[in-house]
Amino acid sequence: MNNYLDAVANRRTFAIIAHPDAGKTTLTEKLLLFGGAIQQAGAVKAKGERRRARSDWMKVEQERGISVASSVMTFDYEGRTFNLLDTPGHEDFSEDTYRTLSAVDSAVMVLDAAKGIETQTRKLFEVCRLRDVPIITFINKLDREGREPFDLLDEVEQGLALSVTPASWPIGMGRDFLGCYDLLNDRLLLIGRGATDMGEACSGIDDPRLDELLPAAAVTKLREDIAMVRGLCPPFDARAFLEGHLTPVFFGSAVNNFGVRELLHGLAAYAPPPRERPAQERMVQPSEAPVTGFVFKIQANMDPKHRDRIAFVRLCSGHFKRGAKLKHPRSGKIINVHNPVLFLAQERELAEEAVAGDIIGIPNHGQLRIGDALTEGEVLNFTGIPSFAPEILRRVRSDDPMKAKHLSRALIQLAEEGAGSVFKPLLGADWIVGVVGVLQFDVLADRIRTEYTIPVRFEDAPIHTARWVEADDALKLKKFIEDNRAAMAEDHDGSPVFLARNAWHLERAADDWPDIRFLTTREQTPG
Ligand code: G4P
């Protein structure tokens, strides 16, 4: 049992959050190189091709195959086992990203030194903040002309209301970028010395060796900068970091493999092991012996002839062994997990065992849904796995009226996978499909056509937005639904949803019905 607890204590399950192009893929690859999980650069993704394919949904489909394989990347470093959970890079699939963040214990936020905080960075950060996920910041592309480091720190501090403390400090920038001073370990790291270089140990920022190793102007500037950093920024405080109030900031250049090892060392030293998880019933501790976990993502398999899917389960407690029989509280059934998969960078491997903090993939035919719990018998409903109100809604029509029933089934299954939201209006026969990004419609239409052989079209619908509705008083909710029948629908789980025609319609309803809560996210906790 002790071994098990040691294994849990050594797990670091994290994700990288970044605006597209900040360098997430490059950094992922370098981290895997350090962890020995891959042997050469370029193995993670065909990046250039992927970028060119942005507007081409066929390629997005192909990417789904790649993303299955690289969804969870496991590697070892400094005695720790890291689980890096990949988040889809495409903005249109950000919902998946949000859910993935519900399964991590910490995150690395990558910023492009020339751009600072961008829209997607901010959105993802807010999701982390909701759950107090500790964040380590990596400011990338120092080998290019970028913004002043103090300016960037200020933007993080002011823009995200997050205290910052530099863990390293850049010396020059762009063509004059010489390296970094490692403030946590007092080492001078010089660029161009290769990935295995450990840097020069210093006794501190006043060490005369710095004068030998750096040009005079650079040393003077470095000392001035560090004096300012120490005056302006709080020292690193592990507790504030773990509570999500303070971020250590590393500077580097992922493409040059510079600053990556220090970042990894920072993760190994400071990022938290698996944290306790809230369920409706109680908090679940990672040290508990019975196995528990929750599904945070469903990936349909690439083979359209087989409707099998892989449910990604984040283990919250216990020591899982292949062949374990787990209870699925939503259906009350026992699931025999004889063929779980662990996802490595290049290939799937059969998971023999796994502990709290690890992710296992469970192939299934649709029994497992996002938000579902798995336990050794206890009834648990984990919380914090959100579903988002879609921002774009369309009516789905099939050219073949004989297939109406099939279409309903297809839509419900796709909604269960999290591929989109579906709503059945109380009045009228057509389903409404909602997505976060418009590209999802193409993917959905294609999947419905190929996997269910139903040709469909998506048509504009006079609907502005969708809100799940709730009230403490069941009678008031019933009255609201009755009075607003024409605007009401049910989602795939039968939960009531208000479909507003325009912003005014929503505002008006909220004003008229103060006891009703109009929710933009809904927790995926099946009743
Ligand atoms: P993403 O996953 O966050 O979208 O970003 P990705 O790693 O694909 O990087 C985006 C672009 O930024 C790539 O260039 C990549 O080579 C470059 N990049 C990443 N890290 C650094 C860095 O430290 N310094 C510099 N100068 N560039 C960096 P690209 O030309 O768009 O693609 P590619 O042809 O190099 O793949």
Side-chain angles (χ1 to χ4, degrees):
M1 195 60 199
N2 269 344
N3 276 350
Y4 157 69
L5 291 179
D6 286 349
V8 174
N10 281 324
R11 288 300 190 272
R12 297 290 181 272
T13 301
F14 74 106
I16 300 179
I17 59 173
H19 190 84
D21 271 359
K24 190 183 69 166
T25 312
T26 310
L27 181 62
T28 300
E29 197 163 272
K30 304 297 179 191
L31 289 171
L32 294 180
L33 279 169
F34 272 111
I38 55 170
Q39 261 66 52
Q40 64 185 48
V44 176
K45 272 171 195 169
K47 289 182 295 163
E49 214 172 276
R50 182 186 51 140
R51 197 160 298 110
R52 276 190 293 280
R54 276 237 162 106
S55 59
D56 182 348
W57 58 265
M58 279 292 283
K59 291 279 170 55
V60 173
E61 278 291 275
Q62 285 173 10
E63 247 179 60
R64 290 197 310 127
I66 297 165
S67 72
V68 168
S70 63
S71 282
V72 182
M73 292 160 273
T74 302
F75 59 94
D76 293 321
Y77 187 75
E78 289 185 353
R80 309 273 193 225
T81 297
F82 293 88
N83 293 311
L84 169 50
L85 273 53
D86 188 38
T87 50
H90 203 290
E91 284 161 77
D92 275 4
F93 297 98
S94 48
E95 218 175 327
D96 242 5
T97 306
Y98 293 133
R99 294 202 195 100
T100 297
L101 293 177
S102 71
V104 301
D105 301 300
S106 59
V108 171
M109 174 167 76
V110 181
L111 305 180
D112 181 328
K115 299 192 175 140
I117 294 165
E118 298 173 83
T119 47
Q120 196 79 345
T121 338
R122 184 181 301 279
K123 278 196 199 170
L124 295 166
F125 169 78
E126 292 303 338
V127 179
C128 291
R129 155 154 297 160
L130 278 177
R131 301 182 48 249
D132 297 326
V133 172
I135 291 183
I136 297 182
T137 303
F138 184 78
I139 298 187
N140 190 28
K141 308 197 187 181
L142 265 290
D143 59 305
R144 274 198 200 155
E145 288 307 322
R147 287 164 49 187
E148 275 300 311
F150 281 109
D151 191 25
L152 290 161
L153 292 185
D154 195 50
E155 187 175 61
V156 174
E157 176 138 38
Q158 303 295 324
L160 303 180
L162 182 66
S163 300
V164 289
T165 187
S168 64
W169 193 257
I171 306 162
M173 187 182 274
R175 271 187 302 162
D176 301 327
F177 181 55
L178 299 175
C180 281
Y181 188 80
D182 176 344
L183 286 158
L184 298 179
N185 306 294
D186 278 312
R187 298 191 90 84
L188 176 67
L189 307 159
L190 294 169
I191 193 152
R193 288 204 177 174
T196 50
D197 177 60
M198 298 301 285
E200 304 284 337
C202 299
S203 59
I205 192 68
D206 294 321
D207 192 327
R209 292 204 61 210
L210 290 174
D211 301 280
E212 291 165 25
L213 292 160
L214 293 169
V219 182
T220 310
K221 170 97 169 50
L222 175 65
R223 290 192 176 124
E224 280 168 15
D225 281 357
I226 303 284
M228 239 167 107
V229 164
R230 295 201 164 128
L232 291 172
C233 302
F236 179 70
D237 171 354
R239 191 160 158 200
F241 162 66
L242 292 176
E243 287 172 353
H245 304 315
L246 175 135
T247 180
V249 180
F250 291 82
F251 290 85
S253 169
V255 81
N256 290 300
N257 219 337
F258 185 82
V260 178
R261 190 186 49 219
E262 288 64 38
L263 172 71
L264 193 50
H265 177 76
L267 272 167
Y270 308 115
R275 305 200 295 172
E276 59 180 12
R277 289 277 145 177
Q280 274 171 4
E281 294 75 10
R282 64 185 186 86
M283 287 302 260
V284 175
Q285 303 299 330
S287 55
E288 293 175 19
V291 173
T292 66
F294 64 86
V295 178
F296 64 93
K297 172 177 167 147
I298 302 270
Q299 180 89 57
N301 225 344
M302 284 306 287
D303 185 351
K305 286 187 228 54
H306 297 102
R307 286 225 45 79
D308 56 338
R309 313 164 176 185
I310 291 171
F312 289 75
V313 176
R314 149 90 197 206
L315 294 181
C316 302
S317 67
H319 185 174
F320 168 87
K321 296 204 182 74
R322 192 144 79 92
K325 292 184 170 49
L326 294 178
K327 181 168 171 146
H328 179 226
R330 185 169 57 76
S331 65
K333 292 198 173 128
I334 300 293
I335 294 185
N336 189 349
V337 193
H338 52 82
N339 56 349
V341 278
L342 261 193
F343 302 89
L344 296 182
Q346 292 303 293
E347 60 209 295
R348 295 199 235 163
E349 285 198 354
L350 270 188
E352 290 301 327
E353 50 184 359
V355 301
D358 286 339
I359 312 300
I360 56 172
I362 304 184
N364 70 99
H365 296 291
Q367 303 92 317
L368 292 175
R369 296 192 200 163
I370 289 166
D372 280 2
L374 289 172
T375 71
E376 287 191 13
E378 185 180 0
V379 173
L380 284 176
N381 287 288
F382 286 99
T383 58
I385 309 127
S387 178
F388 291 84
E391 286 158 26
I392 310 158
L393 294 115
R394 287 190 190 160
R395 190 190 306 280
V396 54
R397 285 260 165 84
S398 169
D399 296 330
D400 184 349
M402 301 302 286
K403 297 218 161 145
K405 212 168 168 182
H406 271 95
L407 180 60
S408 296
R409 215 184 54 215
L411 291 171
I412 289 171
Q413 283 185 355
L414 291 168
E416 285 166 3
E417 272 176 37
S421 307
V422 302
F423 306 114
K424 185 90 180 53
L426 297 190
L427 308 176
D430 292 326
W431 287 80
I432 302 293
V433 173
V435 296
V436 175
V438 75
L439 196 61
Q440 268 172 279
F441 282 125
D442 295 336
V443 174
L444 280 170
D446 182 61
R447 291 192 55 192
I448 295 171
R449 194 165 35 238
T450 53
E451 294 173 27
Y452 299 86
T453 58
I454 312 169
V456 290
R457 288 174 280 128
F458 289 99
E459 295 178 353
D460 282 344
I463 301 168
H464 167 68
T465 190
R467 292 284 183 273
W468 283 280
V469 285
E470 257 183 25
D472 293 327
D473 182 340
L475 282 176
K476 285 207 172 113
L477 183 60
K478 196 160 170 247
K479 176 98 175 76
F480 173 79
I481 293 171
E482 272 165 17
D483 285 15
N484 292 280
R485 263 189 107 63
M488 289 305 300
E490 286 182 350
D491 73 1
H492 66 280
D493 270 344
S495 301
V497 180
F498 178 71
L499 301 176
R501 286 189 301 279
N502 47 44
W504 179 83
H505 188 197
L506 179 62
E507 264 172 46
R508 177 78 196 272
D511 284 348
D512 289 352
W513 299 83
D515 297 320
I516 303 290
R517 289 188 293 277
F518 294 83
L519 307 176
T520 52
T521 58
R522 191 191 68 130
E523 293 240 327
Q524 301 257 358
T525 44

